[in-house]
Amino acid sequence: MSLPRSCYAAYSAAIALLLFAGWASAAGQQKDYEDFGAAKFDHSTAITNEWCPLQPGTRFTWDGSAIDEEGDTERHSSTFTVTDLTKVIAGVRTVVCWDRGIVDGELEESELIFFAQDNNGNVWQLGEYPEEYDDGKFDKAPCWMQGVGDGRAGIMMPAKPKPGAASYSEGWSPSIKFTDRAVVDQMGQTTKVPSGSYDNVLVIDEWDQEEPNAHQLKYYARGVGNVRVGWRGEGNKDHEELELIKIEQLSADDLAKAREDALQLERSAYEHSKDVFANTKPSEHATASAGAR
């Protein structure tokens, strides 16, 4: 039996509405930021995720290159230290990491990053304080922290990354144009870098909404962490490529030096980020903060 034209139109509109509602529901599944809750973090500073272990006293060094705004190739290197400091952010005790970015032999950025592992094994990023320099002088510090202003924590590494899984936010603070997202791109890859040869490598694809079709690819080895950085997409202009050249376990003296350098950067953060960083408690030496939240 055929429907009258008026009934058919109403029926078509209803179907269209249902299809749109279904599409909107599916689209709504991708939130701008992750659901965060301090109750999820009972042993937050024990970061044992097999793809992103962060043991205090470990220092990673990467070396490579990128293309500057004039189209010239410049040398890039990065030194990332897991300090023995902790910092409470939004009720969660985090591990304080310190990263230094060097471009053609000059310090371009010095950054504090705060990580914690939840009860399911996901590694979260709860904030960043990056100081950017121009000709060796302080330029700016686009800081974000969970629970301060529009800052929202994100996931640095899922507990069980799987291809085909939904993308996830690595952190959210649109006021400073920080909208990084990531998705599992590949698993089971092989890569060789100066620090070693790695099998069963995980590749994470990262991007943000400010740079369409500009992707950064990060390669992770089990029990090690990030061993390579690459790129993809016509929108990626700097073509940064980095390889892990060294992993070190710092001596007590070197770790103490890294701790003091990180604390010095934190003191600068309280001075330069009065609206964001100044709303957080000071970092503490891990031995003094053990068992506390």
Side-chain angles (χ1 to χ4, degrees):
M1 180 179 69
S2 60
L3 292 170
R5 182 175 298 275
S6 60
C7 292
Y8 180 80
Y11 176 78
S12 299
I15 292 297
L17 183 61
L18 286 171
L19 289 174
F20 176 79
W23 172 83
S25 176
Q29 291 176 2
Q30 178 176 299
K31 299 179 181 179
D32 287 334
Y33 49 85
E34 303 299 314
D35 293 328
F36 172 85
K40 301 176 182 178
F41 297 84
D42 290 330
H43 306 284
S44 56
T45 59
I47 302 181
T48 57
N49 182 300
E50 63 179 346
W51 297 106
C52 187
L54 295 176
Q55 176 66 33
T58 306
R59 182 163 62 195
F60 301 84
T61 302
W62 297 271
D63 195 28
S65 65
I67 298 175
D68 64 18
E69 294 179 355
E70 286 72 38
D72 298 323
T73 299
E74 54 189 12
R75 183 179 176 184
H76 276 211
S77 63
S78 177
T79 302
F80 180 94
T81 303
V82 186
T83 76
D84 58 357
L85 293 168
T86 67
K87 184 180 183 73
V88 175
I89 300 173
V92 175
R93 188 168 293 279
T94 67
V95 174
V96 181
C97 295
W98 173 45
D99 186 47
R100 285 166 54 87
I102 307 294
V103 176
D104 280 346
E106 293 187 359
L107 179 64
E108 184 177 72
E109 182 178 88
S110 186
E111 180 176 21
L112 296 175
I113 317 173
F114 307 95
F115 296 104
Q117 183 169 302
D118 69 19
N119 297 342
N120 292 325
N122 302 296
V123 179
W124 289 69
Q125 182 172 252
L126 277 75
E128 294 179 302
Y129 174 78
E131 279 195 357
E132 299 177 12
Y133 307 100
D134 186 9
D135 290 332
K137 297 181 180 179
F138 175 86
D139 182 27
K140 56 185 177 180
C143 173
W144 70 271
M145 305 292 284
Q146 160 63 32
V148 182
D150 62 1
R152 298 294 183 269
I155 294 176
M156 181 64 183
M157 179 59 67
K160 297 180 180 179
K162 296 179 181 179
S167 70
Y168 51 91
S169 169
E170 294 188 319
W172 176 260
S173 184
S175 62
I176 59 168
K177 298 183 178 180
F178 182 79
T179 58
D180 289 13
R181 295 194 68 82
V183 70
V184 176
D185 186 72
Q186 304 173 63
M187 295 192 77
Q189 302 302 303
T190 298
T191 191
K192 183 177 182 181
V193 296
S195 64
S197 296
Y198 302 98
D199 297 321
N200 299 315
V201 170
L202 164 67
V203 184
I204 299 291
D205 179 359
E206 299 181 345
W207 69 94
D208 63 58
Q209 66 183 26
E210 281 75 37
E211 298 179 284
N213 200 23
H215 297 258
Q216 187 174 63
L217 302 177
K218 291 185 178 178
Y219 297 68
Y220 291 85
R222 272 194 177 95
V224 179
N226 185 205
V227 298
R228 180 188 289 277
V229 175
W231 63 275
R232 180 166 63 202
E234 295 179 357
N236 190 310
K237 303 302 183 183
D238 62 10
H239 295 189
E240 184 177 42
E241 295 184 345
L242 296 170
E243 296 180 338
L244 182 64
I245 63 172
K246 184 167 52 176
I247 309 172
E248 305 169 85
Q249 293 300 316
L250 300 181
S251 67
D253 287 345
D254 287 340
L255 182 55
K257 177 63 166 58
R259 182 197 317 139
E260 180 50 41
D261 287 341
L263 288 172
Q264 182 176 346
L265 182 57
E266 181 175 71
R267 288 191 286 271
S268 180
Y270 281 114
E271 177 65 26
H272 288 113
S273 182
K274 295 184 182 299
D275 56 339
V276 179
F277 200 91
N279 288 285
T280 66
K281 298 178 180 179
S283 296
E284 303 174 77
H285 190 203
T287 55
S289 60
R293 172 174 286 185

